[in-house]
Amino acid sequence: MIRVAKYHTDFGNIEVLRAKDSGSFIYRQGGCYQSECDPNGVSVVPYIHAIFGLLAQAQASDVLMIGCGGGSLGTMLDRVGVRVTIVDINPKAFQIAQKYFGLPHGVRCCISDGRDFLRAGRHRYDAIVLDAYSGRRIPDHLCAETFFGLAQTRLSSSGILIGNVHARHDLDIMPDRVAAKLSNIWENVRLLDTRGIPDRNALVMAGKVRDLAQPILLIPPAVGADEIANDLSQLVFRPWR
């Protein structure tokens, strides 16, 4: 692993790493890998491809992303003609995403807290993707029921919300907690997960999600495509506790 750059910011140190074998770029903050993409800007992280596949099924053409990291989901969506707005509280994240991770300059980037951004605007999106972390945790105010209620008012009538929720192991009930909060706002809530895998990404979704199917790999990266496709095939919709 080669360290390409290191940035000191008000929100912690950010390192840009490059894998010697694959050439992929890695965005690491607080000791956690936040993004990884191939040299073309396509993510090599399975849950990003899962979100991309779900958004494609939902035919979302106007997407708000809360949380940038390397911005690879935004890069992929932009390439297929989706209008993308990314919100992040750290201005340095956008600079890094554009310089090293291929985030197009045409993607709208807004420096703001996600909740403040939703409060300030009235625009309605086809989808909101919540992927904002402080270390290994979603900030409390971004997974509060009041925040989800606000998010619902910023979605179109057929809109969906997708949240990336880290699960340490099968006894970690954080994904289930988030699903339960969403169910107090939306009638249709689903949880896409892979049981038995430690330190995994579960996807909790709400809105017009009843007919969504298990996502498949739609944009194969230059490296690791077979492994990603296999990881996606193991995802299942499950009830929450």
Side-chain angles (χ1 to χ4, degrees):
M1 200 73 67
I2 303 169
R3 187 166 77 182
V4 177
K6 185 174 182 178
Y7 296 86
H8 302 281
T9 79
D10 293 339
F11 304 95
N13 294 333
I14 300 171
E15 292 178 289
V16 178
L17 309 174
R18 190 166 193 182
K20 292 181 180 180
D21 53 349
S22 65
S24 64
F25 286 91
I26 298 164
Y27 183 111
R28 184 166 70 181
Q29 184 172 9
C32 300
Y33 286 12
Q34 303 287 0
S35 297
E36 184 174 359
C37 72
D38 72 8
N40 302 311
V42 178
S43 179
V44 298
V45 180
Y47 86 87
I48 293 294
H49 286 274
I51 295 175
F52 183 89
L54 293 167
L55 294 174
Q57 290 182 52
Q59 298 182 328
S61 61
D62 188 0
V63 175
L64 172 65
M65 293 170 48
I66 298 177
C68 179
S72 51
L73 176 62
T75 298
M76 294 162 61
L77 290 170
D78 180 79
R79 289 182 183 175
V80 295
V82 174
R83 178 183 177 185
V84 182
T85 301
I86 307 179
V87 175
D88 199 289
I89 199 170
N90 190 347
K92 190 61 70 175
F94 298 125
Q95 298 173 28
I96 295 170
Q98 290 169 347
K99 184 173 182 178
Y100 297 104
F101 293 84
L103 181 68
H105 287 270
V107 171
R108 184 186 179 208
C109 297
C110 301
I111 303 166
S112 177
D113 172 79
R115 181 177 61 185
D116 293 342
F117 180 84
L118 291 182
R119 284 175 171 171
R122 292 293 181 267
H123 185 76
R124 290 178 177 263
Y125 301 89
D126 296 327
I128 296 174
V129 177
L130 176 62
D131 192 11
Y133 274 77
S134 177
R136 293 184 178 272
R137 288 178 53 84
I138 304 171
D140 290 342
H141 69 287
L142 294 182
C143 62
E145 191 171 318
T146 52
F147 171 77
F148 295 134
L150 173 62
Q152 185 191 47
T153 68
R154 301 296 182 263
L155 286 171
S156 66
S157 59
S158 60
I160 64 172
L161 179 142
I162 302 175
N164 168 42
V165 184
H166 177 256
R168 294 170 295 167
H169 42 66
D170 285 351
L171 297 180
D172 187 345
I173 64 170
M174 189 62 183
D176 304 73
R177 279 185 177 177
V178 174
K181 290 178 183 179
L182 292 178
S183 69
N184 291 327
I185 308 295
W186 281 275
E187 180 180 354
N188 293 318
V189 175
R190 303 181 76 187
L191 174 53
L192 188 64
D193 195 6
T194 308
R195 304 285 285 177
I197 305 296
D199 285 320
R200 63 183 185 265
N201 301 91
L203 299 180
V204 185
M205 62 204 76
K208 298 295 183 179
V209 298
R210 178 179 295 174
D211 297 327
L212 296 181
Q214 181 189 57
I216 60 173
L217 182 61
L218 298 177
I219 302 184
V223 294
D226 290 342
E227 292 84 354
I228 293 171
N230 180 64
D231 287 343
L232 294 179
S233 72
Q234 297 182 50
L235 286 168
V236 296
F237 289 100
R238 69 166 177 86
W240 60 90
R241 291 168 282 172

